Amino acid sequence: MSMDMTFLGTGSAYPSPHRGASAVVLRTGGECWLFDCGEGTQTQLMKSQLRAVHELEPTPDQCPEEGQFSLEMTAESGPPHPQEQPGRTIPLDVSSDSYLLFQDNKFVVKAFRLFHRIPSFGFCIQEHDRPGRLKTEVLKELGVKPGPLYGRLKAGKSMILESGRLLLPSEVLEADIPGRKVCVFGDCSSVLGEGAFRLCHEADVLVHEATLGNEHQKKAVEHGHSTPEMAAAVARTCSARRLVLYHFSQRYKPSSLKKEGGEDDVSELKNQADQALQDCGVEVTLAEDFMTIPIPLRRPSTS
């Protein structure tokens, strides 16, 4: 099953002629999932026929006191829209330090807490492991013909051969294909708790904001944001395979528009992350508007 990410916008705060406000689309299995929606998305949703709005219940330590939501702000106001369906309020699962948002036979999606000027969250999309390939040569030697029996073994079910022997799936299946993992961090200057690091361990792709360069770290943190070095520290702790930086201040123009010797070169943000990760082999990518990143299948583990 194919999987990729497209960055509809990579800018912070507001859209500009050069960068749209941050928005990330994960495409897989014919579906599109939108994360970290930028300016204008809420307005468009209000005009649309889409309604299944679920709210995550933040904890008081996710933001300064002045950024916390009041009961009046979060209380239900007025009758629902004609197309609106009841949503859920999802509390923090203290045992896992995360929020379970969705699960089916293909994926589990969880959220985790981040620190920002207002409550912010990150998301982990974990694909389930899938059975490995059938060892067709072994099956032929055993006299098992292609057809429904192959599907039964692939599904992990045992079968009785004509000889009366019990054939276990483990005998004719290669190692499981590990599921892919994608993690998207919203606006943040730090991660709260251990839930994020557990969920994002060995992420195939970890998307993290880098609003300002390392030289502006104090300003970034004051506004609840991160630098490339801070993002790199998260990727290192998570042992991520690839770090994608986005949510850049609008002062950083796309590489295609940079001037020779000009200030605020966005490529310097990549250099700063690379420098912080030079000893651990994490690939660093600068996201740009409409960039698509394929997320290939993992290889089965070998014993």
Side-chain angles (χ1 to χ4, degrees):
M1 180 169 56
S2 64
M3 181 185 292
D4 60 42
M5 299 186 76
T6 296
F7 292 82
L8 298 180
T10 57
S12 67
Y14 55 84
S16 77
H18 308 296
R19 292 189 187 279
S22 61
V24 182
V25 176
L26 177 68
R27 297 189 299 178
T28 180
E31 294 184 344
C32 294
W33 297 352
L34 182 62
F35 294 92
D36 196 23
C37 315
E39 181 178 327
T41 305
Q42 289 174 308
T43 302
Q44 295 301 94
L45 281 173
M46 290 171 64
K47 295 178 181 178
S48 77
Q49 298 298 312
L50 298 175
R51 286 293 185 272
V53 177
H54 307 300
E55 297 188 22
L56 302 181
E57 194 173 83
T59 57
D61 54 352
Q62 283 186 249
C63 65
E65 185 176 354
E66 61 270 18
Q68 295 178 14
F69 296 146
S70 66
L71 291 175
E72 292 78 14
M73 185 184 300
T74 57
E76 182 178 351
S77 58
H81 296 283
Q83 71 272 31
E84 187 171 358
Q85 300 175 6
R88 295 180 293 138
T89 298
I90 306 174
L92 176 70
D93 178 0
V94 179
S95 63
S96 66
D97 194 19
S98 64
Y99 302 79
L100 176 61
L101 306 183
F102 171 81
Q103 62 179 338
D104 63 8
N105 61 350
K106 295 180 181 178
F107 295 97
V108 174
V109 182
K110 293 185 177 182
F112 48 86
R113 299 175 300 150
L114 302 173
F115 188 86
H116 184 50
R117 289 182 297 173
I118 60 173
S120 183
F121 299 90
F123 303 91
C124 175
I125 304 92
Q126 172 69 69
E127 181 182 37
H128 292 307
D129 293 349
R130 287 176 292 169
R133 296 179 179 179
L134 284 170
K135 301 176 181 177
T136 55
E137 292 301 319
V138 174
L139 287 167
K140 288 178 181 178
E141 292 175 3
L142 292 171
V144 182
K145 297 180 180 179
L149 294 180
Y150 275 30
R152 180 181 177 86
L153 291 165
K154 187 82 170 178
K157 298 178 181 179
S158 303
M159 59 173 289
I160 304 294
L161 300 178
E162 292 182 359
S163 63
R165 178 193 163 188
L166 175 65
L167 179 63
L168 301 176
S170 58
E171 298 179 70
V172 292
L173 281 175
E174 295 179 357
D176 286 351
I177 300 173
R180 291 162 287 189
K181 183 185 294 187
V182 176
C183 298
V184 181
F185 284 63
D187 292 18
C188 66
S189 58
S190 63
V191 175
L192 285 183
E194 295 298 317
F197 299 120
R198 286 195 294 265
L199 286 173
C200 300
H201 181 63
E202 295 187 345
D204 293 271
V205 177
L206 191 153
V207 180
H208 198 293
E209 69 137 284
T211 304
L212 293 169
N214 293 344
E215 65 276 17
H216 302 297
Q217 179 172 339
K218 183 178 179 180
K219 180 179 179 180
V221 172
E222 285 176 351
H223 290 82
H225 293 295
S226 298
T227 65
E229 187 174 55
M230 294 165 67
V234 173
R236 176 190 291 274
T237 302
C238 294
S239 300
R241 292 174 168 81
R242 185 175 191 178
L243 170 64
V244 181
L245 302 177
Y246 82 134
H247 194 274
F248 309 121
S249 167
Q250 297 291 358
R251 70 197 295 172
Y252 299 104
K253 302 297 185 294
S255 299
S256 59
L257 297 177
K258 73 176 183 180
K259 297 180 180 179
E260 188 69 29
E263 297 181 355
D264 298 329
D265 184 353
V266 71
S267 63
E268 181 58 25
L269 301 182
K270 180 179 185 304
N271 293 339
Q272 292 175 356
D274 279 329
Q275 183 69 23
L277 293 167
Q278 60 180 334
D279 62 337
C280 58
V282 178
E283 180 182 358
V284 179
T285 300
L286 284 179
E288 294 292 355
D289 286 17
F290 308 114
M291 173 187 287
T292 295
I293 297 175
I295 305 169
L297 288 170
R298 289 189 179 186
R299 294 182 177 179
S301 56
T302 55
S303 56

